[in-house]
Amino acid sequence: AVPLIGAVMPEQIPELITARAFHVIDENGVDRVRMSDLGIRYLDENGTGRVAMNDVGIGYQDENGDIRAAVDADGIWYMDENRTIRAAMSAKGVGVTDDNGTIRARVEADGIGYWDENENLVWRTPER
């Protein structure tokens, strides 16, 4: 009779779960998600952090743990494998840089510009 008690009792859903942290562990025992007062962090199958969301913003990391993209109060950023900002969108506009991090093209409120590798203006839309 004891095994049958669970079969006939309705499922109980708690009104409140209290904890300092919450971890989701996969079938191999690897942390895949961590949630705490510091934010939420998603990890890959190797336990390497890949995406994090906290009070600063949201960041994406590659398989080596290097930040590759971020969204924060200042804008949206994309970094290459050398941690050089390659594209950015902020209150200043949208810009693209070369391998050295030198701004090469930017769309701003007053127009579009293109610069050479020495940061010399090559072309710009006319002023309004």
Side-chain angles (χ1 to χ4, degrees), residues 19 42 113:
Y42 296 91

Side-chain angles (χ1 to χ4, degrees), residues 27-102:
E27 63 277 358
N28 298 315
V30 177
D31 271 6
R32 297 304 298 267
V33 178
R34 295 179 185 167
M35 183 170 48
S36 71
D37 61 340
L38 299 175
I40 300 172
R41 186 174 175 101
Y42 296 91
L43 301 101
D44 66 16
E45 62 278 355
N46 299 314
T48 302
R50 298 302 294 268
V51 179
M53 180 172 48
N54 56 35
D55 60 344
V56 175
I58 301 170
Y60 166 76
Q61 296 168 284
D62 65 16
E63 62 278 356
N64 300 314
D66 293 328
I67 295 176
R68 297 298 297 272
V71 178
D72 60 25
D74 295 322
I76 301 171
W77 318 95
Y78 169 75
M79 282 72 76
D80 66 15
E81 63 278 356
N82 299 313
R83 300 181 184 166
T84 301
I85 294 176
R86 297 301 303 271
M89 181 172 27
S90 69
K92 295 178 182 178
V94 178
V96 179
T97 66
D98 61 17
D99 291 341
N100 300 314
T102 302

